[in-house]
Structures are given as structure tokens and as C-alpha cells.
Amino acid sequence: MKLKLFLWLGLSLATSISSIRAENITVLVSDVSSARNYDPIDNSGYVVRPVSHADINIIWNASTKIFTGGFRIDNGPNLPAEKFGSEDAIAYLPSTAKRQQINYSEQYEFRGALNDNYWILPSSPTTSNTYGVLYLGLTSYDVPKDGTFKDDRLVWTIHSVENLTTPSANAFYGYAVTSGSVGMHLTTDPTYPGVQMDALTEGHDHRNLIFKATGMYRVTFRIRGTLAVTDTEVSSLVPIYFGVETAQIPTQTPATGYDTWKLAKFSPQQANDSTVSGLDKDPDGDGAHNLLEYSLGGDPN
């Protein structure tokens, strides 16, 4: 009876968590005056927010041992930062972000064939301002630099890239240029196997982020770290939304809280196997079904 009561509470809590959304989704755009002519039109449930700089920010929950994240805006030294959940804000790329492939160098082939189009969030504030594009960083300001993680180090990789508007056009790249050489850090392109972005806790970095087509993208980052005390790796998935000349998330495909948790806790094969990762399954046999584990921050394995 007690387990049934807990399971009912878990069902209620999970239903509440997965249905919570901000009253309005914030569409982050550049605050450069020349870019304002390219702002998307405010639609019901969406509010355009011009900012000079925003970050994809990773947050660590020491109790649940789960990474979450979303966008973060710093409003000045005397004001608290604004933080948005994964589904509460979008980084918007206007038509001014569009470029054409003009470099014959082999290391730039990921941009496409000569004269192919791509859209870019640049790593330089000067270039961002020139093209009226949001200046975007990647941070772990909310992961403590206190020895929790071995060497105070995290690893970012890309778990999946989905173009929710045009599913077949889902290419994404995150790279840096050092001394004229391209270093690929973030992509699912098999041409660059095993790429990752190393980062420090409470750290801040920038990469050029490239998309190859218009549409609403959900880029799911996998964040990993090794706990210093136990020498065990923890890993979570953090979905982030980017609108390339598109400002609305299709209503039929948003990620739910349970879906994100399931992908973080199970292997891809297990996550796709309802006999293992289904809401009512108990793979570790401890009497708590997956939905209850999710609701209370447990471990299904």
C-alpha cells in the first residue's frame, strides 16, 4: 500500500514536472540596432528579447547528481543572472547569419560545397555585431569549482541534432580556429569521430556554431564529469533550442522531462526498449518503477 501511495505521488509529481513551461518562451536575439529589422514577429507564447550576450549554461544538482541547463543572461555586476530552462528560451539566428562557402581549404569542407549556404553564431563579439547575430557562449558557471569533479573538469559532446522543421537537414558543427587551423569540437558528423569540448567547472568558453539549413533545432548536449571522491563518471543530457530563421518550437515534438531523463540514465538501446525504460518498468528490481525513480531523483539501474 505504501509503495502504491509513493507511486501515485510520483505520477503526480512527474506529470507536473513534464507539463511545466514558462508562460512565454523567450526568443534571444542580438541587441545591435542594425539587427532589429530582422527580429522575428512576436507570436502568442513567444517574446523577443534583445541581449548583447547570452550563454548556454550547465547546472549541477549535487543531490540528484544530474546536470541540467539552458540559457543564461548576465545583466551586470549588481544584478542577478537570469536563467532559463531548456525549453523556456531559444537562440534565434536571423537571415543576417547566412553565409556562403567561399573557402577552398579542405579543413572548411564541413561548410559545404563552394557557394553552399550555412548559418553561423560566431565566437567573436566583433563578428557577431557586424552581422547582427547573437553573441553566444558556453558556460558551466553553476557547476562548483570545489573539487567535486576530478581536475574540476567537464566534457561536452553532442548526443543528437534534430531539425524539428526539416528532419533531414540536421547538420551542426561547433569549432574553434587557432593559428589558422580548424579544431572541431561539437558535431555528430562521422567525419569527426569522438570529438569533444573540454571545459572547467565555473568556466566560460566560445565556439563558432554552424547550421546548414533553416529550421528549429534541438541540439542535445551530453555533459560528463568524474566525481573525485568515488572516481565514477556522471553523465546527463541537456537539450538546447536554436531557431534558424524560425522562432517557434513545433508543438508536436518538444522533449519532455522524462524523455530527457531516460536518455541520460539508459543506453540508447535501453532507452528505445520499452520493456526496460517504460514508465512502469523496474529494471533494477528495487520495487520503484522508472517513473518513481525519475520523480524522486533515483537511479533506475
Side-chain angles (χ1 to χ4, degrees), residues 126-197:
T126 304
T127 304
S128 294
N129 288 343
T130 298
Y131 289 93
V133 181
L134 182 68
Y135 181 44
L136 187 67
L138 302 97
T139 74
S140 51
Y141 286 149
D142 289 288
V143 183
K145 191 174 184 178
D146 60 1
T148 296
F149 293 98
K150 197 170 183 178
D151 301 321
D152 287 314
R153 177 178 175 269
L154 301 177
V155 175
W156 298 49
T157 54
I158 298 298
H159 172 267
S160 61
V161 179
E162 305 160 271
N163 187 327
L164 305 178
T165 309
T166 310
S168 61
N170 59 2
F172 168 84
Y173 301 87
Y175 69 98
V177 180
T178 305
S179 300
S181 297
V182 170
M184 192 63 65
H185 299 278
L186 299 168
T187 188
T188 56
D189 187 335
T191 306
Y192 306 93
V195 297
Q196 65 182 38
M197 187 183 86

Side-chain angles (χ1 to χ4, degrees), residues 129-274:
N129 288 343
T130 298
Y131 289 93
V133 181
L134 182 68
Y135 181 44
L136 187 67
L138 302 97
T139 74
S140 51
Y141 286 149
D142 289 288
V143 183
K145 191 174 184 178
D146 60 1
T148 296
F149 293 98
K150 197 170 183 178
D151 301 321
D152 287 314
R153 177 178 175 269
L154 301 177
V155 175
W156 298 49
T157 54
I158 298 298
H159 172 267
S160 61
V161 179
E162 305 160 271
N163 187 327
L164 305 178
T165 309
T166 310
S168 61
N170 59 2
F172 168 84
Y173 301 87
Y175 69 98
V177 180
T178 305
S179 300
S181 297
V182 170
M184 192 63 65
H185 299 278
L186 299 168
T187 188
T188 56
D189 187 335
T191 306
Y192 306 93
V195 297
Q196 65 182 38
M197 187 183 86
D198 295 324
L200 294 176
T201 56
E202 296 185 18
H204 182 202
D205 213 332
H206 289 269
R207 295 292 185 274
N208 299 290
L209 305 182
I210 276 186
F211 301 84
K212 298 294 294 297
T214 59
M216 176 58 63
Y217 288 78
R218 181 168 59 221
V219 179
T220 301
F221 296 87
R222 180 175 290 281
I223 310 299
R224 307 195 322 268
T226 300
L227 296 173
V229 173
T230 60
D231 201 35
T232 57
E233 183 178 272
V234 290
S235 171
S236 302
L237 299 181
V238 179
I240 301 293
Y241 288 83
F242 300 85
V244 183
E245 298 188 29
T246 300
Q248 288 186 294
I249 300 174
T251 56
Q252 70 273 21
T253 52
T256 66
Y258 183 79
D259 288 339
T260 300
W261 178 86
K262 179 175 71 173
L263 289 169
K265 291 296 184 180
F266 295 104
S267 71
Q269 292 76 21
Q270 291 172 323
N272 289 322
D273 185 351
S274 61

